[in-house]
Structure formats: C-alpha cells, structure tokens
Amino acid sequence: MRVPKWLNRNVTGLTITSFCADVGYEMVTAVLPGFLNTIGVAAAALGWIEGAADALASFVKLGAGWYSDRIGHRKGIVAFGYFLSGTALALFALAVSWPLVLAGRMIAWFGKGIRGPLRDAMLAESVDAETRGRAFGLHRAGDTMGAVLGPLIGVALLGMLPAPMPDAPFRGVFLFSLVPGIVAVASILILVRETRRPPDRHLRLWISVRNLPKPYLRFLTGVGLFGAGDFSHTLLVLGAAQLLEPHLGMVRAAQAGALLYVVRNGLYAAASFPVGLVADRMDKQRLLAAGYVAGALTSFAVAVVFAWNISGPVWLALLFGAAGVYIAMEDALEGAIPADLVPLESRGTAYGLMGSVNGVGDLVASVLVGTLWTAVSPAAGFIAAGILMASGAVLVLWNRSRL
C-alpha cells in the first residue's frame, strides 16, 4: 500500500511524540480530581490551579513563537518543552495540599506553553496547504489515542497499587507518568527533522504581532471569546466523581470518572482525522463555528446534569462523548487555520499569539466555572460557559463573512 505523501517523517514523528506525552499527562489528569478529593481540595481550588497554569502558558506561548521566528528554528525548544511537561507532574506524588499541585502544574504548563505553538508551526510547515487539515487531524488523533491509553493505565494502577493510605495509589500513578514523558522527549529528538531558516536578529515582538494579517487577528477575537467559556474537562471528571460517590464510594467513583474521561478521549481520537479530512474539502472557519456550537450545547447539557443530579452511566457517557467530539473539531481546526491566513515567516508568532489568546480564555473559563460552582452551583458555571462558547461561534462566522 502506497503511503500518502503528506504522511512524512515529521508528521509521523510529531504524532508519536504527542501520543507518548499524552499517555503521561492524561494518566495524571484522569486521577487528579480523585486525588484532590481524597486530600480535601475543593472544586474552586482546582479551577484556580487549572486557570493559573493556563495563564502562565499563555504568557510564554507568544514569546516562544516569536523567538522561534527570530532564530529560524524550533526543534530544540519543542524538545525542552516536552521534557518539562513530561516530568513536572511527578511532583504531585509529594503533595499534601494544593500548593505543590499548583507548582507541578505551573512547571508542566510552562513546558506546554513553549512547545505547543512551535510544534504546530513545524507540523504546518511539513505538509502542503491542501493536505494540512488531515495532517493536523492525524496528529490530534494520535495525541488523543495517548489520552485514551493514559487514563486506562491510571485506572488500572489505582486498582493494582497497594493502598496503606487512600492517597497512596494516586501517588504511584504520578511517579509512573515519568516513563511516557521521557519517551516523548526521545521520540522528537530521534524522529523529527527540521530545515533551519536564516535567523532574523532584527525581528521585534510587537512589530511582528502588529504586522500579522488583519483577517487572522479578527479570527482570533472569536477564538478568544469561545475560549473564555471553554472550561477544563478536569472539572467534568470531578463532577462525575462527585455525582457517583454516593453510589460507588470515593475511590471507585474516581475510577469511574477516569473511565468516563477515556470515553471522551476515545470520541476525540475517533473524530479528529475525519474532521481534518472534511476540513480539506470545505471552509475551515465555518466548520470550526459548528464545533463551537457543539461545545456550547455540551456545556448546557452539563448544567442540566447537575441541576437534576443525573448520575446514570449512560447519560454521563453521552455527555463525555459529546465533549470529545467538539474538542476534536476545535483542536484540529484551530491548528490548521492559522497557516491558511499567515505567511511562513510569521507562523511562529501567529501560533504563539493564538496560544496566548487560548491561554487567557482557559484562565477565564476555569476560574469562572470553578468559582460559580462553589459560590452558586455547578449548573450556573456551565450555563455561563455555554453562553460564551455560543458567542464565540457567532463572532467567528461574522468575521468570516468579512473576508
């Protein structure tokens, strides 16, 4: 069978790297809400932890993207970012309250911040424009297959590891996450090649941002508004664990929440490549707006689940599956669209700016939902998030009509 031209060494290597990285990251993410519940950390604290880490990542994304344009290469920075994000979460094994969880998350998200935009720029530069959607779709599918396997490993380890104290198995999972994290670093160093460009030592950050094409900057306004409602799905896992705890007990509810997260990631992985394939054949921004609408509807459905205290496994699985589909549309398309709007020499800056916009949005969303959850009700937080998501979809379509 002939291998498609777009499925080259870099696309394959970056997909494998992201797969390994997500095995480690999602292994931790799936069990973290249960761990925090075990040591008595509230939902509001989780929202602030997620938001603070996202804020740090947002500040470094733009600088990392611009700097890679300035020096003419990206691979070394990407590998260093994968090292930080693949090792820092093991610090959770030492945590007795939220401060060390926050520290580990901040270090890991600093790594994600410097690697994410540069990795997307490298991926965009590795394929032709007409196959960019499927390259990003395959990458997100591979990335998310790691997010399916990671929680399964985390849940299995929770059941296998000795539990002299309720929090002991969780700490073992955090330490084990080092293995796939280190493999991810080795993968990018060995498999991915980069053609370096001549450095531009006179390139200035704010001039680079100011010179980005106006259609791209308008597009980012819709992305940012949607992002202000795009809450961390760790909050979904926490909510499922709390709804199920009266029926299953603390540890089994945490395991069930992690398995539901696997459902979310499975649908994410299954939908990513088809979304990319369709995106190569139609208007990407309109398809992204449809994904944003799906996100808003999912958020409203979460509010209903909490308002009516629905804990049936089928309903929860449908909810997590819907979350996976809209995230697949969001990630694959937000990755592919900038390269259609921005010239090659500015793509690091463009992807970095998008990362910063999304990071600020993630901060707002996580803090908004987590705070309303604690101060008012979970339903209030998710209704507010859904309204912002729907507004982002409208703005993307309106900006698209102005092209």
Side-chain angles (χ1 to χ4, degrees):
M1 183 176 178
R2 185 178 179 182
V3 177
K5 182 181 177 181
W6 61 268
L7 189 57
N8 54 47
R9 182 186 180 115
N10 278 10
V11 173
T12 303
L14 289 169
T15 300
I16 293 172
T17 298
S18 290
F19 168 81
C20 294
D22 253 43
V23 168
Y25 160 65
E26 298 289 0
M27 182 191 310
V28 171
T29 298
V31 305
L32 179 60
F35 174 69
L36 295 180
N37 206 28
T38 302
I39 64 176
V41 176
L46 178 58
W48 280 97
I49 288 168
E50 294 284 345
D54 287 332
L56 175 63
S58 72
F59 287 124
V60 301
K61 284 175 180 176
L62 175 56
W66 161 78
Y67 185 69
S68 72
D69 285 339
R70 189 172 189 267
I71 64 176
H73 59 90
R74 319 186 201 277
K75 179 179 172 180
I77 302 173
V78 175
F80 179 62
Y82 272 107
F83 172 77
L84 291 180
S85 61
T87 58
L89 297 181
L91 286 174
F92 295 175
L94 304 175
V96 295
S97 188
W98 62 266
L100 198 55
V101 175
L102 175 62
R105 198 69 145 178
M106 295 282 277
I107 295 170
W109 257 234
F110 177 82
K112 288 192 75 172
I114 63 175
R115 69 167 166 82
L118 277 61
R119 177 205 62 210
D120 285 350
M122 290 177 66
L123 187 60
E125 293 162 7
S126 299
V127 294
D128 297 329
E130 60 269 17
T131 57
R132 196 169 286 135
R134 65 199 76 180
F136 274 92
L138 178 68
H139 176 266
R140 297 311 191 243
D143 180 279
T144 313
M145 285 306 298
V148 172
L149 182 59
L152 290 175
I153 295 173
V155 170
L157 289 173
L158 282 184
M160 294 167 54
L161 293 172
M165 298 291 288
D167 59 345
F170 295 96
R171 299 181 189 277
V173 174
F174 300 149
L175 289 174
F176 189 81
S177 71
L178 286 168
V179 176
I182 292 171
V183 173
V185 179
S187 297
I188 192 167
L189 291 174
I190 295 170
L191 298 176
V192 177
R193 293 175 177 171
E194 179 182 25
T195 301
R196 295 194 173 200
R197 294 176 290 106
D200 184 356
R201 302 296 182 185
H202 301 290
L203 193 64
R204 297 292 179 265
L205 175 59
W206 295 117
I207 294 176
S208 299
V209 172
R210 187 181 63 194
N211 290 338
L212 288 172
K214 294 298 187 294
Y216 178 69
L217 295 175
R218 288 197 298 267
F219 166 71
L220 284 186
T221 61
V223 171
L225 187 56
F226 173 84
D230 191 18
F231 57 89
S232 168
H233 287 183
T234 311
L235 291 168
L236 276 184
V237 180
L238 177 63
Q242 290 184 356
L243 288 168
L244 293 168
E245 185 177 338
H247 310 288
L248 301 179
M250 185 176 292
V251 174
R252 289 187 63 197
Q255 290 176 304
L259 288 173
L260 286 167
Y261 194 64
V262 171
V263 172
R264 178 262 195 193
N265 291 341
L267 268 293
Y268 180 0
S272 291
F273 184 71
V275 166
L277 193 61
V278 171
D280 285 333
R281 300 175 180 178
M282 66 172 291
D283 188 284
K284 295 184 181 70
Q285 292 192 48
R286 291 194 177 99
L287 189 59
L288 177 63
Y292 284 1
V293 170
L297 293 175
T298 301
S299 190
F300 293 139
V302 177
V304 171
V305 164
F306 276 103
W308 292 357
N309 198 33
I310 298 171
S311 58
V314 174
W315 291 109
L316 292 175
L318 287 172
L319 188 64
F320 276 75
V325 171
Y326 94 74
I327 285 292
M329 298 178 74
E330 176 190 349
D331 280 0
L333 293 164
E334 285 186 358
I337 289 171
D340 293 340
L341 300 174
V342 178
L344 175 62
E345 63 272 12
S346 301
R347 284 182 188 161
T349 302
Y351 278 104
L353 182 59
M354 171 173 279
S356 295
V357 167
N358 273 328
V360 172
D362 289 342
L363 169 63
V364 172
S366 295
V367 171
L368 174 69
V369 175
T371 301
L372 286 176
W373 181 321
T374 303
V376 183
S377 71
F382 290 110
I383 288 172
I387 292 171
L388 289 167
M389 288 174 160
S391 301
V394 172
L395 193 53
V396 165
L397 285 177
W398 182 69
N399 286 332
R400 175 65 185 83
S401 70
R402 299 171 64 191
L403 290 179

